[in-house]
Structures are given as structure tokens and as C-alpha cells.
């Protein structure tokens, strides 16, 4: 059974949803008419604020701020997969700095 370390979890939960989407899935975002607000191309009732990173998927009445929660709630990843994926992406970014 796969597991994640506390270090991986702590690193993954620091990644904000907007930052994650802008960096790794920019094609999914579409600017709305509202200031600082974006929506997903594939879910028009999903809105995210570029300043606070708060997101809300209105049709499902779920929301959050972290990429971890986004990956689990919106993209349907399991906890271990989402933590590992987010931690890996964050680590790749650090290597390129």
C-alpha cells in the first residue's frame, strides 16, 4: 500500500490551487468578467480568485484554497495520489529555480 511522509504532506498542502493551475494547467483557466476571478474551461460553475486562491464549485457546493483539496475534490484523485503528485510538482519547480 502506498503512503506519504509528513514532509510530503506538509509540502503539498502549501501549494495553492490558483498557483497550481496557472503553473501546471493554464489551459484549463478562463478569465471571467469579475475582477481577479477565473473559471475552469471544463466546469463553468467553478470559480477561483487569483489573489486569495479561494475556489468554489457552485454546482457541487464545495470549495477550498489548496491544490491538494482541488485535486481530490475536482479532479477526483485519492489522498495519497494527490499528495504525491503535488509534492512532486512542487519539488520539480524548486529544481528549476
Amino acid at each position: 500500500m502506498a503512503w506519504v511522509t509528513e514532509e510530503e504532506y506538509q509540502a503539498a498542502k502549501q501549494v495553492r490551487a490558483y498557483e497550481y493551475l496557472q503553473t501546471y494547467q493554464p489551459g484549463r483557466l478562463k478569465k471571467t468578467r469579475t475582477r481577479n476571478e477565473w473559471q475552469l474551461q471544463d466546469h463553468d460553475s467553478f470559480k477561483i480568485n487569483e489573489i486569495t486562491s479561494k475556489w468554489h464549485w457552485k454546482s457541487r457546493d464545495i470549495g477550498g484554497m489548496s491544490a491538494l483539496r482541488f485535486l481530490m475534490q475536482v479532479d477526483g484523485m485519492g489522498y495519497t495520489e494527490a499528495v504525491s503528485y503535488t509534492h512532486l510538482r512542487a519539488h520539480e519547480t524548486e529544481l528549476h529555480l
Side-chain angles (χ1 to χ4, degrees), residues 1 4 8 10 12 16 24 27-29 33-34 36 38 47 49 52 55 57 60 63 68 74 76 81 83 97:
M1 181 170 140
V4 295
E8 290 171 326
Q10 292 299 328
R16 297 174 72 129
Y24 302 110
R28 279 183 88 179
L29 291 172
R33 294 183 194 177
T34 305
N36 302 320
W38 296 75
K47 308 292 188 222
N49 183 287
T52 65
W55 59 267
W57 193 355
R60 297 212 178 161
L68 189 58
V74 179
E81 180 184 13
V83 170
L97 294 178

Side-chain angles (χ1 to χ4, degrees), residues 30-39 44 46-50:
K30 178 174 129 182
K31 186 75 176 104
T32 68
R33 294 183 194 177
T34 305
R35 185 176 181 181
N36 302 320
E37 185 180 83
W38 296 75
Q39 71 183 41
D44 64 356
F46 177 98
K47 308 292 188 222
I48 188 167
N49 183 287
E50 67 184 34

Side-chain angles (χ1 to χ4, degrees), residues 1-15 66-69 71 79-91 94:
M1 181 170 140
W3 54 276
V4 295
T5 66
E6 181 66 20
E7 176 189 344
E8 290 171 326
Y9 168 69
Q10 292 299 328
K13 78 176 193 175
Q14 297 303 314
V15 180
S66 72
L68 189 58
R69 184 165 170 84
L71 290 169
Y79 171 79
T80 303
E81 180 184 13
V83 170
S84 297
Y85 184 79
T86 306
H87 181 259
L88 176 65
R89 293 290 189 176
H91 184 67
E94 288 173 7

